[in-house]
Amino acid sequence: MRRTVRGLIGALCLAGTVALGAVAAEAHPHVWITARSELIYASDGTVTGVRHAWTFDDMFSTYALQGIEAKTKGAYSREELALLAQTNVESLKEFAYFTFAKADGKKEKFLEPVDYYLDYKDAALTLHFTLPAKTPFKPKQLSLEVFDPAFFIDFKYSDKDPVKLVGAAVDCKLQFQRPNDGTASAQKLGEQNFMGDGGNFGAMFANKIVVECP
């Protein structure tokens, strides 16, 4: 039976939400993603979307590929991975694509992904997709956070070129803040730390991108 990333990610995230409410010791990542992101600007300075490239850890990649036949052993084409890519982005909708934006303090929404595909290299799957802004916006300050509220998926940005501005004015300033490595301490937190708004525990480990334009 073909396994899909949709089923795997969906099951993992739902299990993570349950774990936060029931067993604090389970509040640690089970899937690791190395990410790169691009913020896309139009010529008039408006933000039109966000382009992501997420590389899954090799264990998750191997599991997700079970049941998918490839013409060449150990290699998968975009065409062979097309259905997997589709089910992947469809499943991410219920999690808001783990992408949260604010323009001058106001929450912004994204449309469903476009230009999405999977590729396979060095035993890892990478999901590429673009999130168009529901309504293009032109903020003086854009704040973008990428994280899994349940912290079942750990997002670590690439050491090289983690974030880029595409088409932005030269006087726009980019700041990127990585989360502190709190994985070990997260496993030691008591159950009381997961009460109330525990479902958003992963915000403690958010990658924060801030762009300021005149």
Side-chain angles (χ1 to χ4, degrees):
M1 180 178 180
R2 174 171 292 183
R3 300 180 186 273
T4 66
V5 175
R6 179 185 191 280
L8 290 170
I9 286 184
L12 286 171
C13 290
L14 290 175
T17 302
V18 172
L20 285 174
V23 183
E26 290 297 317
H28 58 87
H30 286 60
V31 177
W32 288 263
I33 289 177
T34 301
R36 298 188 309 277
S37 297
E38 296 179 345
L39 305 182
I40 306 170
Y41 288 76
S43 58
D44 63 355
T46 58
V47 179
T48 61
V50 178
R51 184 181 298 127
H52 287 309
W54 294 351
T55 300
F56 298 95
D57 65 86
D58 55 356
M59 183 178 297
F60 181 88
S61 297
T62 299
Y63 191 55
L65 287 169
Q66 290 184 22
I68 297 180
E69 296 181 0
K71 291 182 179 179
T72 303
K73 185 177 181 180
Y76 298 86
S77 67
R78 291 187 186 181
E79 291 73 20
E80 291 167 336
L81 297 173
L83 180 58
L84 194 61
Q86 179 182 349
T87 54
N88 195 333
V89 296
E90 287 176 352
S91 74
L92 292 173
K93 182 177 181 179
E94 63 182 300
F95 305 108
Y97 308 102
F98 304 118
T99 304
F100 309 93
K102 288 185 178 181
D104 295 328
K106 177 185 175 182
K107 291 183 179 179
E108 297 292 341
K109 295 182 179 180
F110 297 101
L111 300 175
E112 295 183 4
V114 297
D115 302 329
Y116 57 83
Y117 64 92
L118 277 167
D119 60 29
Y120 181 75
K121 183 180 179 180
D122 298 330
L125 286 168
T126 299
L127 175 66
H128 303 261
F129 64 101
T130 299
L131 292 174
K134 184 175 182 179
T135 303
F137 49 92
K138 189 177 182 181
K140 291 185 176 180
Q141 184 183 78
L142 167 63
S143 175
L144 186 78
E145 296 187 353
V146 177
F147 66 96
D148 173 13
F151 197 48
F152 239 61
I153 299 176
D154 179 35
F155 287 89
K156 176 184 178 182
Y157 267 73
S158 174
D159 293 331
K160 181 179 180 181
D161 298 327
V163 183
K164 291 183 179 180
L165 304 182
V166 179
V170 294
D171 48 1
C172 289
K173 305 299 182 183
L174 168 66
Q175 296 180 349
F176 175 56
Q177 180 182 349
R178 301 176 186 272
N180 293 325
D181 184 11
T183 302
S185 60
Q187 295 177 3
K188 299 177 182 178
L189 291 175
E191 185 174 353
Q192 64 272 16
N193 295 87
F194 299 91
M195 298 301 180
D197 193 29
N200 202 37
F201 173 72
M204 296 173 57
F205 307 98
N207 295 273
K208 300 179 181 180
I209 301 165
V210 177
V211 182
E212 294 184 348
C213 297

